[in-house]
Amino acid sequence: MVEIQLDGQKVEVLEGSTVMHAAEKAGTYIPHFCYHKKLSIAANCRMCLVDVEKAPKPMPACATPVTQGMVVHTKNDKAIKAQKGVMEFLLINHPLDCPICDQGGECQLQDLAVGYGAGESRYQEEKRMVFHKDVGSLISMQEMSRCIHCTRCVRFGQEVAGVMELGMSHRGEHAEIETFVGMSVDSELSGNMIDLCPVGALTSKPFRYSARTWELSRRKSVSPHDSTGANLIVQVKHDKVMRVLPLENEAINECWIADRDRFSYEALNTDDRLLSPMLKQGGEWKTVSWQAALEYVANGLKQIKSEYGADSIGTLASPHSTLEELHLAASLMRGLGSENIDYRLRNADFSSSPSVRWLGTSIASLSQLQRVLVVGSNLRKDHPLFALRIRQSVRNGCALSAINSVAELPIADAWAMPLANTVLASPENWMQALADIAAAIAAEKGVAAPASGRASDAAKSIALSLLGGERKAILLGNAAAHHANASSLLALSNWIAEQTGATVGYLTQAANTVGAQLVNALPGSSGLNAGQMLDGKLKAVILLNNEPEFDSAAGAKAKASLNSAQMVVTLSPFKANMSFSDVLLPIAPFTETPGTFVNAEGRIQSFHAVVKPRGETRPAWKVLRVLANLLDLPGFDFESSQDVLRKIPDADNDQVPANRLSNAIQCEIVMSGVAGPAPAVASIYQLDGLVRRATSLQLTADARKAAGFEGACA
């Protein structure tokens, strides 16, 4: 430890720290622009100049390392004069457009100019102008004349997102932040550049000129998309969601969110919202009252149960639904006498497990791994914030290995990080690839291999990598979870982990994949799984917050299967499944209902509604409760979502109990006959109904590519 004196206060910091770190520890604010705790030191704004005794001139606090006995003044005349001088230079070319700037009210430059800026400028020359750039549908670079060249956005791309999409060209007053030869900004984390920009040069294109920051209420929530469980600040005006920002949580999402977390709110305000219950009568959709719709559903379920038995009724539930909704959906089915409920819409292997499959480690620990093997995941697009953490590990020397499908891009570009070892193979060959690694490990350790494999050069490299280091993980992605031989993939991974001292975990697909297992939204011993239910075996189907055509392995075939059912009931925030549904019940999206999600590490996070439900929309837990009451089922006398949560075993803490979480498996490793359909994996902006209906996300390069269009938006 090194002790320094900062404004008369003694502060102890680690050797190698900077004056800025010491000031943060002491609770002393030093004005700055280019410094950010998650980015490398650039020291190019000079706003953090401080007076260091015995130094000939003011020194930048962000780039000055501490030394034993150093005496620093951050607020004496010398320091203040230096800071004011820097501010004067920054304002020479900055446009005077604060009244119309989207950053107004939350602008660092505006705030610091009050304390360090002069009342008027001594410079009369014309201000420089920077031509605007079009970089895509998410980020606006219309006012680049505001840029002060802090390079936060550049460093974010290089160090966090893994893709250097922005850079500085030219020098002096001709310097500009821009993309390479007019390309668009396509990173799945690009929206974080908007938060990082301290002056309003980069702003949100969808939010642009729609509200002033001081008009917005700030409310906490949790992302409903992937399994990170990113914490959000949802900003609201007049009961309308206007913007979504990250809520800092070091253990989960740090201070970042993915673009689909940030911009999917656009879907909440589209014309595609279902605002009233609807019935199909004579082939035409009619708006009806809630009472008429629910009585129609209840009477239909009673009649079908009477004629065909309870086994002819089933529910397909989305893993993006809340814990409370999934619990009530499962309870409703079992109350009717049916075991036909499943959330595993994209799976091909439906082997049951007594335990809850999960990440196998904490999210935060992904940043400190030394060895990683990822199987069957487009990590960067499937789990952007997990990829961000593993990227941190790789920057610190972690050896990352991958078994994946043949990549369309160079592998380093597809992952936005260097890979130490790569096995590119079609999904039916992933078992053999793992068996080869197991054989290499077995040969190295002198033990029997669990399956027949050949220790190829690539397998040996991955084996030696996993046998080295200390903190290690084998991570199975969405494609591995949805694989036709998912159980054998897990069994082989467990054997490799046992021999190498690694953890095994699923990255898990959706916001509540772990939660769906926790509440047993799974078929019982006599129940049908999702694949069987989508094969036309049911007379009545309840679809909770999903569109089987897009959200299941059956794809377009699901429409024909569901058309054969006598009654299909869709509970959705949107006008979905209209070609084969008989009833549409408008349920609230995550912003309009309280609920709970369980993320990949088993962390239980509850949230409140941030706005009132639109139209006649109702929270799904209320709809399911009333439907159960109409069906005369006992145990559905809940008054609030908290009442429902209290009825769920092991859901009353912040973490799923460790004895419920396990990726262990006892099964025969099957090496032959594993060929099957390609694993059903959604592209980044097709994951759920919200992102599919977010206009700006659908104009991105990733969405256009998934839809068959090449390149970025015009």
Side-chain angles (χ1 to χ4, degrees), residues 399-453:
L400 171 62
S401 304
I403 298 174
N404 221 338
S405 300
V406 177
E408 297 178 16
L409 296 170
I411 196 70
D413 293 340
W415 286 63
M417 66 184 95
L419 277 79
N421 305 286
T422 308
V423 175
L424 295 178
S426 55
E428 62 266 25
N429 293 322
W430 291 351
M431 273 296 299
Q432 190 60 58
L434 274 178
D436 291 348
I437 295 169
I441 291 172
E444 193 71 24
K445 297 190 68 174
V447 297
S452 176

Side-chain angles (χ1 to χ4, degrees), residues 190-257:
S190 65
N192 293 291
M193 296 180 188
I194 300 167
D195 298 336
L196 286 171
C197 183
V199 297
L202 304 180
T203 54
S204 168
K205 209 173 241 188
F207 175 72
R208 183 176 165 81
Y209 295 147
S210 60
R212 307 304 309 216
T213 58
W214 53 84
E215 299 173 323
L216 304 175
S217 301
R218 296 163 58 89
R219 295 161 189 176
K220 297 178 182 178
S221 192
V222 178
S223 168
H225 304 303
D226 63 36
S227 58
T228 309
N231 289 196
L232 309 177
I233 295 172
V234 181
Q235 297 192 321
V236 176
K237 179 183 178 182
H238 299 156
D239 266 329
K240 181 180 178 182
V241 175
M242 305 298 293
R243 186 165 65 161
V244 175
L245 300 174
L247 175 63
E248 186 168 351
N249 187 328
E250 277 297 314
I252 302 175
N253 56 297
E254 300 178 88
C255 56
W256 319 115
I257 53 174

Side-chain angles (χ1 to χ4, degrees), residues 476-603:
L476 301 172
N478 293 351
H482 303 157
H483 197 278
N485 206 21
S487 296
S488 291
L489 284 173
L490 178 59
L492 259 180
S493 298
N494 274 317
W495 186 91
I496 294 170
E498 184 180 344
Q499 298 297 319
T500 60
T503 62
V504 174
Y506 280 105
L507 294 166
T508 71
Q509 169 197 325
N512 222 8
T513 300
V514 173
Q517 299 171 76
L518 184 67
V519 299
N520 196 29
L522 293 160
S525 57
S526 61
L528 301 177
N529 61 48
Q532 293 167 328
M533 285 191 269
L534 285 169
D535 199 25
K537 292 182 167 61
L538 296 176
K539 296 297 182 182
V541 185
I542 297 174
L543 301 175
L544 176 58
N545 199 24
N546 66 84
E547 300 166 75
E549 182 180 359
F550 307 108
D551 294 327
S552 75
K557 296 178 182 178
K559 294 174 68 174
S561 298
L562 292 168
N563 262 322
S564 66
Q566 286 190 15
M567 184 173 73
V568 177
V569 182
T570 291
L571 286 76
S572 174
F574 303 104
K575 297 170 184 174
N577 305 328
M578 298 184 78
S579 64
F580 51 78
S581 292
D582 300 285
V583 189
L584 298 180
L585 301 178
I587 60 170
F590 79 107
T591 52
E592 299 170 19
T593 180
T596 304
F597 291 137
V598 186
N599 71 1
E601 66 179 358
R603 188 183 297 263

Side-chain angles (χ1 to χ4, degrees), residues 294-497:
L294 288 173
E295 285 181 353
Y296 179 91
V297 174
N299 291 333
L301 290 175
K302 288 177 181 177
Q303 182 178 346
I304 289 171
K305 178 181 177 181
S306 174
E307 289 185 26
Y308 302 101
D311 290 342
S312 65
I313 304 171
T315 294
L316 293 164
S318 167
H320 299 278
S321 301
T322 68
L323 204 61
E324 294 84 350
E325 293 163 4
L326 290 164
H327 171 72
L328 289 178
S331 299
L332 176 66
M333 280 297 98
R334 293 187 169 106
L336 284 170
S338 171
E339 289 289 341
N340 302 331
I341 179 164
D342 206 347
Y343 76 92
R344 300 168 298 177
L345 306 184
R346 291 192 171 99
N347 285 35
D349 181 345
F350 295 96
S351 303
S352 61
S353 168
S355 56
V356 174
R357 303 293 189 217
W358 68 303
L359 185 61
T361 184
S362 69
I363 291 174
S365 70
L366 297 179
S367 301
Q368 284 90 43
L369 292 173
Q370 295 178 341
R371 300 288 188 274
V372 185
L373 171 61
V374 178
V375 182
S377 175
N378 184 359
L379 184 64
R380 178 182 165 193
K381 304 300 182 182
D382 293 346
H383 301 91
L385 295 176
F386 290 170
L388 181 155
R389 286 193 178 269
I390 292 175
R391 195 173 293 119
Q392 291 175 14
S393 292
V394 172
R395 284 175 61 85
N396 292 325
C398 172
L400 171 62
S401 304
I403 298 174
N404 221 338
S405 300
V406 177
E408 297 178 16
L409 296 170
I411 196 70
D413 293 340
W415 286 63
M417 66 184 95
L419 277 79
N421 305 286
T422 308
V423 175
L424 295 178
S426 55
E428 62 266 25
N429 293 322
W430 291 351
M431 273 296 299
Q432 190 60 58
L434 274 178
D436 291 348
I437 295 169
I441 291 172
E444 193 71 24
K445 297 190 68 174
V447 297
S452 176
R454 181 178 65 86
S456 63
D457 291 341
K460 287 178 182 177
S461 295
I462 296 175
L464 291 174
S465 175
L466 289 173
L467 287 167
E470 295 179 0
R471 298 180 297 276
K472 297 171 271 193
I474 300 172
L475 302 174
L476 301 172
N478 293 351
H482 303 157
H483 197 278
N485 206 21
S487 296
S488 291
L489 284 173
L490 178 59
L492 259 180
S493 298
N494 274 317
W495 186 91
I496 294 170

